[in-house]
Every structure is written in structure tokens, then in C-alpha cells.
Amino acid sequence: MHEIDNIVILTGAGISAESGLNTFRAADGLWEGHRVEDVATPEAFLRDPDLVHEFYDVRRKRLGEVEPNAAHVALARLDAEWPGELLIVTQNVDDLHERAGAKRLLHMHGELLQGWCLRCDERFGWAGALGEGAACPRCQTHGMVRPDIVWFGEMPYGMERIEAALLEADLFVSIGTSGAVYPAAGFVQTAKYRAARTLEINLEPSQGSIFFDERRFGLASAEVPRWVDETLF
Ligand code: APR
């Protein structure tokens, strides 16, 4: 096995499930009681901004009620102790990786605790409700702020940096994602261009399971700490 120096990790909603945050495709594909098209697209925001704001306000408020779990803590430890290159790319918009201490982290789908002013393009931290009450801290415009979340049909953040990291990776690890949504679902293929080793850690086989050299099935809170212990040993 060639030396592992450069690790890229992709996480999805499954890593936050045991912290109490719902995943997207567990039940009948409803997302907190909504169809995705009704709350996670630019068209939905134009059509019914209050519904979209309410949907994200409820999820943003929920962040204050949950804690990182052992999987987030283990990845933060790996980040702190791994001497080589490491990048955690998360599809999640929660702040649990940060709260566990992760530093080398990229939110490709944006963040619940961030607002985006449609008037002056400023992005800013925001912990409260973003509905009509929010004013942009830079241009003071009211009612022209959206969640800084990447909706369906929009370009994820950091794609150049992610692709460069994947092409340099010796090991690509996918944790807690169903492999249902691109471009994240294609990262394993990009990593394999450079013959990186690939590992999937998930509750059950993802849609891309067959592309991984190794697969570990189980709860992230058990499997991720175990993998990190092995990797740092
Ligand atoms: N431990 C490990 N894996 C788990 C756990 C757990 N405790 N609980 C659930 N999982 C797995 C599920 O088996 C599933 O494969 O996590 C995966 C979650 O998949 P999704 O709900 O589809 O979430 P995700 O893959 O992150 O969705 C990707 O889709 O809706 C968009 O933008 C949204 O970022 C999201 C993207």
C-alpha cells in the first residue's frame, strides 16, 4: 500500500444524524415535511420567500439544540493531528464540524449560520431568523437577504479547490452520504483518476458504493472514531 499523505474526506447528513439533525432521504424523501422543490430552489425563494425563510429559520434554530457527536470529534482530532494534507468537504450546512474543532473544512453547500445580501452581495454570519426582519449589516437593506445555502440548480462552493484536492489525494473517504446528489456523488471517481484509495463509511451502501475499494457499514459515531484511531496509529 503506497504511503498515505493527502486525505480528502466528504461528509453528508449521515454524520450529523446521531446529533439529532434529520437526514434528507431517510423517510419518504420529504425534508422536514417539505418537498425539496418547494423550499430548496431559487424558484421556490422567488415564489414564496416566507416559506423558504421559515424552513431555514427552523433548521437554523435547531442548531442551538444539538451537539457534535463522536464522529465530528474524531474528524477534528484527525484534522489536528494529521501531519499531511487534509481537507474535510462537507455537504452539510450545520456547524457541527466547526464546533467539534475542525479547521481544514469547506462547506460546499453553504452554511445555515450565514446570510447573503441580494442587494450588495455581502455574505455575513447570522444566527437568528432571516425573514423580513433581517437587514444586511453592510448596506442596511431590509428584506433582501437570503440564506447562504446552495440550492438545487446552483453551483456548489469551492469546486476548483475540491477538484484539485481530489486529484492530489492518496485517500478519499466518504462518510454519511447517500451518493444521490452530484457533484459530490462523483468525487469518488475523480479521486480514482489518481489511483487514490477510496473508503466509504455509511449506515448502508450508498448509490456509489460499488466505486469504493473499501466499505464499512455502521453508525458514524462508532465507525469514524475507529477509522481515525487506525489512521493515526
Ligand atoms: N451513521 C452513518 N450513516 C448514516 C447515519 C449514521 N448514524 N444515519 C444515516 N446515514 C446515512 C444514510 O444511510 C444515507 O445514506 O447517511 C446518508 C444520508 O443521505 P442523505 O439523506 O441523502 O443526505 P446527503 O447524502 O448528505 O444529501 C446530499 O442532498 O438534499 C441535498 O443539499 C442536500 O447536502 C444535501 C445533499
Side-chain angles (χ1 to χ4, degrees):
M1 177 182 77
H2 59 226
E3 182 55 26
I4 290 178
D5 174 60
N6 188 326
I7 303 176
V8 175
I9 298 163
L10 170 70
T11 64
I15 200 171
S16 299
E18 291 163 88
S19 294
L21 296 181
N22 289 349
T23 62
F24 301 100
R25 291 168 189 86
D28 49 1
L30 278 190
W31 194 6
E32 315 256 0
H34 293 287
R35 288 178 339 111
V36 161
E37 307 74 61
D38 298 341
V39 288
T41 65
E43 296 75 21
F45 188 64
L46 281 175
R47 186 171 59 239
D48 188 348
D50 293 343
L51 172 71
V52 173
H53 273 309
E54 190 237 346
F55 173 69
Y56 286 100
D57 288 352
V58 164
R59 291 176 64 209
R60 190 174 307 105
K61 188 163 180 287
R62 181 103 179 86
L63 290 183
E65 301 158 2
V66 298
E67 296 292 327
N69 65 57
H72 297 104
V73 172
L75 289 189
R77 176 176 158 233
L78 181 65
D79 184 4
E81 297 178 16
W82 183 251
E85 292 291 308
L86 180 137
L87 179 62
I88 301 169
V89 179
T90 187
Q91 300 173 90
N92 300 339
V93 292
D94 62 56
D95 62 340
L96 297 177
H97 279 303
E98 291 88 334
R99 285 166 57 192
K103 301 278 182 262
R104 295 183 274 186
L105 175 67
L106 194 161
H107 281 273
M108 66 180 286
H109 288 165
E111 299 172 62
L112 273 173
L113 292 174
Q114 188 108 324
W116 178 9
C117 176
L118 297 174
R119 169 87 63 195
C120 73
D121 211 28
E122 174 83 353
R123 284 169 170 79
F124 50 89
W126 195 275
L130 264 182
E132 73 298 332
C136 170
R138 181 165 156 226
C139 71
Q140 307 309 322
T141 308
H142 266 259
M144 289 289 287
V145 174
R146 63 168 272 186
D148 188 15
I149 299 266
V150 178
W151 285 326
F152 284 94
E154 297 183 326
M155 189 66 188
Y157 289 137
M159 286 307 294
E160 280 181 27
R161 182 176 168 207
I162 295 168
E163 273 151 8
L166 288 168
L167 291 172
E168 289 301 311
D170 305 307
L171 174 62
F172 172 68
V173 186
S174 176
I175 300 170
T177 181
S178 62
V181 174
Y182 283 79
F187 288 175
V188 59
Q189 313 272 31
T190 308
K192 289 168 79 102
Y193 283 148
R194 201 185 156 281
R197 270 189 48 223
T198 54
L199 164 64
E200 173 173 76
I201 298 175
N202 207 52
L203 199 57
E204 73 227 341
S206 74
Q207 293 183 24
S209 246
I210 50 161
F211 299 117
F212 287 85
D213 305 317
E214 187 189 353
R215 293 173 287 273
R216 299 185 187 187
F217 300 131
L219 293 172
S221 63
E223 294 304 325
V224 177
R226 194 191 330 269
W227 169 69
V228 168
D229 288 345
E230 285 168 21
T231 306
L232 287 174
F233 179 69

